[in-house]
Structure formats: structure tokens, C-alpha cells
């Protein structure tokens, strides 16, 4: 059985997926499983993945029966993973070659590892800029989150325990169709279910801003869908927050999410 599963939710990324798969295949830590989840795009992404899979039996392809979006595709990948530990990679991004080695080393004694990442728009820059490596219990970690410039919503640059991801499906429909705000919902539940965390200054992930991606796209139809999905994600979180964690964290977090939702609404009016 592999030690770490890397899950790639895949939809119309033919320009990038070879680079993402190469970054997985060439990891210094070899005992991995690479799961490509086909979300029924209309380009050659899966043909490229099949070609790689024919040469490396660590690559597995799961085919959705219909287009389900990023949230469900990631969850389906996690549900089918054989490893105890899970990492996520968006196929238009890529991993540092020591990502799994560092992830496996750090996850052994905690429930979740949070790494830094490089983000690339004009040039690569550190994203979170964590000041030091540190272990946290849950309460201290939630306070730490509230004090970050960026709230660590992303599922990338993290290592999760599969058993806790499966437990999170008790709180949300794992096939909820979300393509925006899905990271927030996923991490909200997993933050609460985890008891111990390690935050690392190491950058293991290379995030590429994609002008055709959802976060950069200015198409009015996409912006409207983003707003609707964000609103749905926030509604689920608000319902869950009533019984899952401290009122202080929920109050602050819901305020942050509300601002983000209003920001999306404002973009549609411009």
C-alpha cells in the first residue's frame, strides 16, 4: 500500500497536466499513488493522463459519471485512495520534488500539515510567509488562522489524514457540486475535526494564476456562478458552525466569509 495519495481533479487542463504529473512522478519519495479524477472536460487532458498511466502504474484514473465540479472530484479521489495520507494538486499547478518526502516526515505525529507555497502571477512569491515552523493544538491553531493575512483556505500545500477526510463526509454531501468556495468548506470541516497541526515555512507547492481559471476569470456568467457557489458554501458552513466549534472562531470566520461573498457580488456589478 502506498504511503501518500496525490489527487488531481481534472477538467480541461491539457496545457498543464503533463507538468503536474511529471512533478508527481519525479518525487524524491517514491511510495505514492497518483489519482487523476476525470470530471468530463472536452479537451485532451485525460488522453495525456492515460499516456502517463501506461508508463507508471502508480497513476490511476477515476471517471466521474457526470460533471461534478472540483469539490466532489477531490472527495471521490480521497474516497478511493489507498493511502493513509492525502495531498491535493490542481493540474494547472505543480509540486516541488521533495513535497511528499517532507509531507510524510511531518504528518506522522499530527493530524494535518500546513506548508507554505509559491504563487506565480508576474514572478514567484511566498504566499503565507509563515514566520516559523511550529506545532499547534486545535484551539491555538484556530487562533493562529484568525491572525493570518491569508486564511489558509486552500487545500493545496497541505497533508491530510484520510480517516479524517472520510469522517468529514458525515457533515456534508461529498458530491455537493461546488467549483468555487469549495476549499473553504473542505478545510473548515477538516480544521475542526483535526486536533493537532504542524505549520511549516517550507514551500512545497507552485501555484499558477490562470487567466482562464475561476479566480481570474472576468466572464459575467462565471462570476455569477462563483457567487452562487460561494454563497452555497457559506450557507453550509453557517449551519455546521452552530455545533462544531467555539463561538469566537465561528463569529470571526463568518465575518471573513461574508466580506468575501460581498466582494464577489460587487465584482458582478462592475
Amino acid at each position: 500500500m502506498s504511503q501518500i495519495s496525490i489527487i488531481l481533479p481534472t477538467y480541461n487542463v491539457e496545457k498543464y497536466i503533463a507538468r503536474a504529473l511529471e512533478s508527481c512522478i519525479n518525487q524524491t519519495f517514491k511510495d505514492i499513488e497518483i489519482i487523476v479524477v476525470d470530471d468530463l472536460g472536452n479537451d485532451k487532458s485525460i488522453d495525456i493522463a492515460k499516456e502517463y498511466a501506461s508508463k507508471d502504474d502508480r497513476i490511476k484514473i477515476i471517471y466521474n459519471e457526470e460533471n461534478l465540479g472540483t469539490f466532489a472530484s477531490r472527495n471521490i479521489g480521497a474516497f478511493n485512495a489507498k493511502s493513509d495520507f492525502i495531498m491535493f494538486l490542481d493540474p494547472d499547478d505543480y509540486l516541488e520534488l521533495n513535497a511528499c518526502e517532507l509531507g510524510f516526515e511531518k504528518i506522522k505525529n499530527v493530524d494535518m500539515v500546513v506548508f507554505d507555497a509559491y504563487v506565480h502571477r508576474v514572478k514567484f512569491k511566498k504566499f503565507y510567509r509563515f514566520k516559523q515552523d511550529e506545532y499547534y493544538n486545535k484551539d491555538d491553531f484556530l487562533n493562529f488562522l484568525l491572525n493570518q493575512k491569508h486564511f489558509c483556505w486552500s487545500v493545496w500545500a497541505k497533508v491530510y489524514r484520510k480517516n479524517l477526510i472520510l469522517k468529514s463526509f458525515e457533515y456534508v454531501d461529498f458530491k455537493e457540486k461546488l467549483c468555487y468556495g469549495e476549499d473553504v468548506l473542505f478545510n473548515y470541516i477538516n480544521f475542526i475535526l483535526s486536533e493537532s497541526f504542524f505549520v511549516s515555512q517550507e514551500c512545497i507547492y507552485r501555484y499558477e494564476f490562470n487567466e482562464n481559471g475561476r479566480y481570474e476569470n472576468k466572464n459575467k456568467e462565471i462570476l455569477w456562478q462563483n457567487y452562487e457557489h460561494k454563497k452555497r458554501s457559506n450557507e453550509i458552513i453557517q449551519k455546521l458552525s452552530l455545533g462544531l466549534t467555539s463561538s469566537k472562531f465561528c463569529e470571526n470566520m463568518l465575518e471573513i466569509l461574508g466580506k468575501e461573498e460581498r466582494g464577489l457580488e460587487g465584482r458582478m456589478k462592475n
Side-chain angles (χ1 to χ4, degrees):
M1 185 178 76
S2 56
Q3 300 292 341
I4 294 178
S5 295
I6 308 171
I7 295 164
L8 294 79
T10 300
Y11 180 82
N12 289 351
V13 284
E14 66 179 5
K15 292 181 181 179
Y16 314 103
I17 192 169
R19 181 182 63 184
L21 288 171
E22 291 278 357
S23 77
C24 296
I25 291 166
N26 294 313
Q27 287 292 304
T28 56
F29 186 82
K30 302 299 183 184
D31 193 7
I32 64 174
E33 174 185 49
I34 304 160
I35 299 178
V36 176
V37 183
D38 176 14
D39 201 28
L40 303 185
N42 53 19
D43 69 358
K44 296 180 180 178
S45 301
I46 299 304
D47 292 333
I48 296 168
K50 285 179 180 178
E51 185 176 343
Y52 275 92
S54 71
K55 299 172 185 176
D56 192 325
D57 61 8
R58 296 176 300 172
I59 300 175
K60 299 172 178 61
I61 303 176
I62 296 173
Y63 301 93
N64 289 347
E65 294 181 0
E66 60 179 316
N67 176 256
L68 294 171
T70 312
F71 182 73
S73 295
R74 285 178 181 148
N75 292 341
I76 288 167
F79 188 81
N80 286 278
K82 303 299 183 185
S83 314
D84 289 334
F85 307 114
I86 305 288
M87 298 173 69
F88 296 101
L89 172 61
D90 290 341
D92 50 355
D93 303 329
Y94 57 103
L95 296 171
E96 295 290 325
L97 297 185
N98 63 346
C100 292
E101 182 179 350
L102 290 172
F104 187 64
E105 175 190 338
K106 302 301 184 186
I107 191 65
K108 291 178 181 178
N109 299 314
V110 293
D111 290 336
M112 187 187 297
V113 182
V114 180
F115 287 101
D116 208 335
Y118 292 113
V119 297
H120 182 221
R121 184 176 262 128
V122 178
K123 61 181 180 179
F124 278 108
K125 294 182 179 180
K126 280 193 170 186
F127 188 59
Y128 294 123
R129 296 177 181 168
F130 298 138
K131 294 179 181 178
Q132 61 189 26
D133 292 355
E134 194 160 355
Y135 289 94
Y136 292 93
N137 62 31
K138 178 157 58 184
D139 288 341
D140 289 342
F141 179 73
L142 296 181
N143 287 329
F144 165 82
L145 287 178
L146 292 174
N147 291 317
Q148 297 306 299
K149 179 181 178 182
H150 299 290
F151 200 78
C152 307
W153 286 136
S154 60
V155 301
W156 41 258
K158 293 180 176 63
V159 187
Y160 301 88
R161 288 186 176 267
K162 179 186 174 181
N163 65 311
L164 292 177
I165 292 177
L166 295 182
K167 186 174 178 60
S168 75
F169 299 160
E170 297 174 13
Y171 297 93
V172 64
D173 180 359
F174 78 99
K175 287 190 176 181
E176 183 80 38
K177 191 167 185 177
L178 291 172
C179 295
Y180 196 92
E182 75 281 2
D183 287 33
V184 182
L185 176 58
F186 183 91
N187 271 325
Y188 170 73
I189 303 173
N190 280 279
F191 286 158
I192 302 308
L193 293 178
S194 299
E195 296 293 337
S196 55
F197 302 81
F198 180 74
V199 173
S200 173
Q201 296 180 86
E202 291 271 7
C203 291
I204 67 160
Y205 195 96
R206 298 266 177 169
Y207 177 88
E208 294 274 0
F209 279 97
N210 180 352
E211 63 182 14
N212 295 316
R214 285 189 166 270
Y215 288 87
E216 298 290 290
N217 205 305
K218 296 179 181 178
N219 178 281
K220 290 292 185 182
E221 184 178 343
I222 296 295
L223 285 174
W224 175 254
Q225 190 179 72
N226 288 350
Y227 172 70
E228 287 293 304
H229 285 203
K230 180 69 172 176
K231 188 176 179 181
R232 174 61 181 158
S233 173
N234 287 355
E235 286 171 354
I236 296 170
I237 289 170
Q238 190 160 18
K239 289 178 182 176
L240 290 173
S241 68
L242 298 174
L244 279 178
T245 190
S246 70
S247 57
K248 178 187 175 184
F249 176 73
C250 287
E251 183 179 335
N252 284 275
M253 185 197 64
L254 291 171
E255 183 179 344
I256 292 168
L257 295 179
K259 286 181 181 177
E260 293 176 353
E261 186 179 317
R262 290 190 293 275
L264 280 174
E265 190 176 16
R267 284 185 70 188
M268 290 188 298
K269 296 176 180 177
N270 293 334

